[in-house]
Amino acid sequence: MPPTSGPRRGRATRRAVLGAVGAGAVAALAGCTGGRDDAAQGPATGPGEAAVPSVTPGSVPVPTAEEVVGLLQRRGLALVAGADALAEVVAAPSELDALRTSDARAVAAGVAAWAADVTAAATPGTTAAPSPSDPSPGSSSVGPSSSVSPSAAEPEGAVELAATADLLLRVRVRGEERDVVTRARTGVVRREGRWLLAPVADPGTPQPWDLGDVEVLPGERGVVLRIAGSGPDAVDTAALAAELAGDLGDAAQRVDAAWGTDWPRATAVVVPATAADAARLAGVAPAQVAGLDALAVGVEAELPDGRPAGVRIVVQPARFPGLTRLGRHITLTHELVHVATRAATTVTAPGALPRWLVEGYADYAARAGRGLDARALARPLLDAVAAGAPVLVPDDDAFAAADPTALQVAYAAGWTLVTSVARRTAAEAVTGLYRGLAAAPDRGGLPAAEPAQRLDEGCYRAFGEAFEDVRRRWEADVRGGLDGW
């Protein structure tokens, strides 16, 4: 929802949002089939065949749920088929030109599947009402709710919107196995007796093709989408994208060795030209990616097959190229660990899966067996302890610290904590702890309990001791300067 190699990063199962009327406008809503190039994941229907939230009639005619569904379905089917997908859209000529360009880029990038669920709807003068069927309430880890008043969403000079709809979009490109869920918003207007889609001022975070031409580089276990860029901040990423495409297979095999093979066999890696574009793709402010090398994006939601949605990796081009060749490979592997673990994460209780384990395990799996200097990797933590700081298990907020040094300490603490117990037991035991905590109780996970109690139960099952015993041994390792590591 995760980050980089070395201690220089922050997690990224972050909110990713897509413009519904832009190249992101699309497919089926709540129980309607959307366009796709194959049937590998079954029909694109809303979870539980959820109904689209109804909208309360106001001073203007209001579209029915079926009419909104039909508009988005027709646009999505055309987009995936590579046909003109703007027949259902009304906008200024310049906006239509931009949408047509973005649509063409989406087709060139290999857009293969689109579907959507309505999570909220509103009419003029009302606030968007959330749908009880929203498959991921509160799942966005960064940013406010996407529900807004229509007056705030209407573009300057636009016709009065009859309604706005907040969406969860499920998008897949050729070369990635699972649909990636993003948030979006669209407007609906009445023109000459027809309902049409209309742009809104805040359509959401763009898809790669909304930012520029996309070069597609297939890899052994996925695909790299390189976004062309221009301007003083743009980075020439041609060689980097080719390297990533070549490294995908080996990095994925390393994840298989640590985690197992029950995770998506193909993942998309997006390489934007600027750090600002990386932030836009992640749906966060530029400052929030300034210290990151890479991150994994996608709303935590359940797809119609009952399994978690996919994850897409975004490279931060102002930092990632500056890593060593090995560092870049480790970073890619770390992000793929997040792709793998997300596929098994169904627990929803707050605090049930601690961030120190999420990030520490990804670092452990990505670095294991590479002959790295443990003291160098943990230097921020060791220096802080030498200066008098206590040896503390970092809480979740520590992994979102604005201070770069504090962030480095949090990541070093997570990695050393996981590595400490793995050294004494086995890598498989740590993987077992993660799987037990990540899975919901009704999906084979540990029984429901308060987070601390559930963690203790997991440690007893995996290591034969309480978490406090794990913590004390880790503290002794850190205070001993990781002697022998």
Side-chain angles (χ1 to χ4, degrees):
M1 176 214 214
T4 87
S5 91
R8 305 182 298 165
R9 55 178 183 299
R11 186 191 177 217
T13 299
R14 301 196 189 277
R15 179 184 129 177
V17 192
L18 175 65
V21 176
V26 308
L29 285 166
C32 296
T33 302
R36 55 186 49 227
D37 66 339
D38 57 62
Q41 292 181 219
T45 56
E49 300 294 322
V52 177
S54 61
V55 288
T56 304
S59 60
V60 296
V62 177
T64 66
E66 291 76 12
E67 287 168 327
V68 177
V69 166
L71 289 172
L72 288 163
Q73 182 182 29
R74 289 190 292 274
R75 173 152 162 71
L77 287 169
L79 183 63
V80 171
D84 185 349
L86 296 177
E88 313 300 331
V89 179
V90 60
S94 61
E95 291 176 313
L96 287 175
D97 286 344
L99 291 175
R100 189 169 289 109
T101 297
S102 183
D103 283 3
R105 290 169 174 165
V107 172
V111 60
W114 293 86
D117 303 300
V118 172
T119 61
T123 54
T126 69
T127 298
S131 165
S133 62
D134 184 344
S136 59
S139 65
S140 174
S141 62
V142 177
S145 165
S146 61
S147 298
V148 298
S149 144
S151 60
E154 193 171 326
E156 184 178 355
V159 297
E160 182 180 10
L161 296 178
T164 59
D166 289 356
L167 313 173
L168 282 181
L169 302 183
R170 289 174 262 132
V171 183
R172 177 168 52 84
V173 298
R174 294 182 183 90
E176 65 183 345
E177 183 176 310
R178 299 287 288 168
D179 294 356
V180 177
V181 174
T182 57
R183 297 187 186 274
R185 184 180 299 109
T186 186
V188 184
V189 300
R190 187 78 170 172
R191 282 287 181 87
E192 299 178 355
R194 297 177 58 208
W195 291 113
L196 295 169
L197 300 171
V200 293
D202 179 20
T205 300
Q207 285 283 352
W209 39 85
D210 293 319
L211 302 179
D213 292 331
V214 177
E215 179 186 7
V216 179
L217 294 85
E220 182 183 335
R221 289 282 295 274
V223 63
V224 174
L225 304 178
R226 174 180 172 262
I227 306 172
S230 60
D233 295 329
V235 177
D236 182 356
T237 57
L240 177 63
E243 177 185 286
L244 285 164
D247 285 349
L248 264 172
D250 181 72
Q253 289 172 18
R254 286 180 174 272
V255 180
D256 286 346
W259 181 256
T261 58
D262 57 338
W263 61 285
R265 301 287 84 194
T267 303
V269 180
V270 184
V271 185
T274 67
D277 281 351
R280 294 176 67 194
L281 290 166
V284 300
Q288 291 178 273
V289 304
L292 311 184
D293 299 325
L295 53 162
V297 300
V299 171
E300 295 177 358
E302 189 176 273
L303 295 183
D305 62 6
R307 295 184 291 130
V311 176
R312 192 172 289 161
I313 296 170
V314 175
V315 167
Q316 211 279 55
R319 290 183 58 93
F320 190 85
L323 299 174
T324 65
R325 180 72 177 84
L326 177 59
R328 293 193 296 273
H329 196 285
I330 291 173
T331 298
L332 176 61
T333 307
H334 175 112
E335 300 306 328
L336 287 171
V337 173
H338 288 306
V339 176
T341 56
R342 170 78 77 85
T345 300
T346 53
V347 69
T348 58
L353 185 61
R355 280 288 297 278
W356 66 260
L357 180 59
V358 171
E359 297 302 339
Y361 181 82
D363 270 340
Y364 172 74
R367 293 169 173 171
R370 297 188 190 257
L372 302 173
D373 184 339
R375 289 187 180 88
L377 293 173
R379 182 52 53 197
L381 173 64
L382 298 179
D383 286 350
V385 172
V391 181
L392 300 176
V393 177
D395 60 19
D396 287 3
D397 290 342
F399 292 90
D403 177 62
T405 300
L407 190 63
Q408 291 173 0
V409 169
Y411 273 93
W415 173 66
T416 53
L417 179 48
V418 170
T419 304
S420 173
V421 68
R423 282 170 52 84
R424 290 188 299 101
T425 57
E428 294 79 8
V430 179
T431 300
L433 171 66
Y434 197 122
R435 286 183 176 276
L437 291 174
D442 62 350
R443 300 287 186 92
L446 291 161
E450 289 298 313
Q453 181 182 346
R454 196 164 181 260
L455 177 59
D456 257 348
E457 177 65 21
C459 287
Y460 273 118
R461 293 190 184 191
F463 316 129
E465 60 188 12
F467 176 67
E468 176 57 22
D469 298 319
V470 172
R471 189 206 64 78
R472 281 201 308 266
R473 295 176 193 273
W474 163 67
E475 180 178 356
D477 283 344
V478 172
R479 293 196 180 281
L482 306 185
D483 185 44
W485 282 35

